[in-house]
Amino acid sequence: RMEEEQKIYNEQGVEAYVKYQLDHENEPFLPGAAFPFVKALEAVNTQLRELYPDSEELFDIVLMTNNHAQVGVRLINSINHYDLFIERFCMTGGNSPICYLKAYHTNLYLSSDAEKVSGAIEEGIAAATIFSPSKDLEVSENQLRVAFDGDAVLFSDESEQIVKAHGLDKFFEHEKAHENKPLAQGPLKGFLEALGKLQKKFYSKGLRMECPIRTYLVTARSAASSGARALKTLRSWGLETDEALFLAGAPKGPLLKKIRPHIFFDDQMFHVEGAKELGTVAAHVPYGIAQKHTRPPQEKQTPNSK
């Protein structure tokens, strides 16, 4: 069905595409790559409402699309079909939704359109291009699991610049010498901060071990030679991840298959590809020096894919 819609949009244009959507508005859209992630957010919200009935500190999900308002009925029908709790839509009628992100106080913008994600990053919004995995991997329905790469995702790309310019040996020397100097923040530091804020609401109820949000640092850094600076940086921010995996250059895909996160963020397409080949929903963060060497594959997208 998605291929059919893509073909109509590419070959017949916007009007034919909108007519197709109107003709099929009682047929729900198929779930996309972010569907399990959104379901997990809603599961956390359910538990937060039980613990804090009067609190409005919840995950706030906004459906943003450059689709036309006429397609809204099909989107609403799809939301209801899957029992999702998404009340806010932003349908921009062909224009980019990026200009609305700050007005929504966006902590994270996900899209399958790499160009729009890059635009969001340039505006200072945490954003990533999300990819469907090559195979289905069952994920938790009760606990949200989010995995982050370190450099150029949670942290700046300062260290990656040194690797590119001077090699690994100089990188190890630099990290050792600057172990107690926190790294600058990367584009997704604010999203980890938002997750941590909600985690603490469960901790304050004595539910640290039963917390429905779990975070992971999954980095190619070596624990012995460059891991301390990453952990000390998080500590200096008043943040932490529940688990830290230092892989010393080993592939990330097999470890992610064990973790089974709802989403994994990395700035290098090599790691994104390796993750999704083994069933992990992976998202590319187009930030830092690595983007000068690799770019994510880009196809023409239908409005429905935003």
Side-chain angles (χ1 to χ4, degrees):
R1 180 57 59 78
M2 286 295 294
E3 291 179 0
E4 182 182 353
E5 295 178 17
Q6 181 87 51
K7 186 176 180 181
I8 291 171
Y9 181 76
N10 290 343
E11 297 181 359
Q12 300 179 41
V14 173
E15 296 303 325
Y17 175 81
V18 171
K19 182 180 184 304
Y20 178 92
Q21 298 298 341
L22 291 173
D23 291 342
H24 294 80
E25 68 179 18
N26 292 319
E27 300 174 20
F29 288 113
L30 295 174
F35 186 88
F37 176 63
V38 170
K39 291 291 283 187
L41 295 179
E42 294 196 345
V44 175
N45 278 351
T46 298
Q47 295 179 65
L48 281 168
R49 290 189 185 98
E50 290 173 357
L51 290 174
Y52 299 93
D54 300 322
S55 175
E56 294 185 0
E57 285 191 317
L58 303 163
F59 288 113
D60 184 15
I61 305 164
V62 181
L63 178 61
M64 308 198 76
T65 171
N66 63 353
N67 233 315
H68 291 256
Q70 299 97 314
V71 185
V73 172
R74 190 178 184 193
L75 289 169
I76 291 168
N77 288 341
S78 299
I79 294 298
N80 291 333
H81 173 79
Y82 295 112
D83 293 322
L84 298 176
F85 190 78
I86 302 176
E87 295 190 305
R88 298 207 283 172
F89 287 14
C90 179
M91 293 174 282
T92 62
N95 293 324
S96 171
I98 301 305
C99 62
Y100 293 100
L101 292 175
K102 287 186 177 178
Y104 280 105
H105 305 289
T106 303
N107 293 111
L108 176 68
Y109 172 67
L110 295 175
S111 174
S112 60
D113 188 323
E115 185 176 341
K116 285 183 174 53
V117 167
S118 293
I121 289 280
E122 289 170 6
E123 290 293 316
I125 303 290
T129 310
I130 190 167
F131 292 88
S132 295
S134 302
K135 61 181 74 171
D136 290 332
L137 193 65
E138 188 175 337
V139 292
S140 173
E141 295 182 1
N142 302 312
Q143 184 182 62
L144 169 67
R145 298 176 186 172
V146 184
F148 299 90
D149 178 33
D151 297 298
V153 175
L154 290 180
F155 316 125
S156 73
D157 70 332
E158 167 195 333
S159 298
E160 290 194 349
Q161 289 186 40
I162 293 169
V163 173
K164 297 289 185 188
H166 305 292
L168 275 175
D169 288 343
K170 287 291 184 183
F171 163 74
F172 292 141
E173 290 177 18
H174 178 271
E175 294 305 283
K176 193 66 178 175
H178 295 81
E179 180 179 313
N180 294 310
K181 179 186 177 184
L183 290 152
Q185 70 178 52
L188 263 65
K189 181 250 189 177
F191 180 54
L192 177 62
E193 203 165 26
L195 292 175
K197 184 177 181 181
L198 291 180
Q199 280 181 312
K200 287 174 182 175
K201 293 178 73 69
F202 291 96
Y203 298 168
S204 66
K205 296 286 189 179
L207 297 173
R208 175 177 282 269
M209 296 308 296
E210 295 80 24
C211 182
I213 303 172
R214 194 162 184 84
T215 55
Y216 304 79
L217 173 64
V218 182
T219 172
R221 282 174 175 255
S222 163
S225 55
S226 58
R229 191 179 186 196
L231 294 177
K232 287 184 177 182
T233 296
L234 290 175
R235 187 190 301 163
S236 74
W237 295 341
L239 298 176
E240 60 181 316
T241 56
D242 294 294
E243 299 187 28
L245 293 89
F246 295 95
L247 303 186
K252 297 181 180 181
L255 268 295
L256 291 166
K257 186 178 179 181
K258 295 293 184 183
I259 294 170
R260 300 190 177 216
H262 292 87
I263 193 166
F264 164 63
F265 298 98
D266 203 292
D267 68 305
Q268 298 192 45
M269 279 302 298
F270 170 78
H271 293 303
V272 170
E273 292 286 350
K276 72 187 191 75
E277 282 175 13
L278 293 180
T280 296
V281 174
H284 177 253
V285 181
Y287 174 85
I289 193 170
Q291 310 320 307
K292 298 176 182 178
H293 300 270
T294 58
R295 293 291 294 175
Q298 178 65 23
E299 298 177 357
K300 186 177 181 183
Q301 304 286 334
T302 68
N304 189 37
S305 62
K306 308 301 185 286

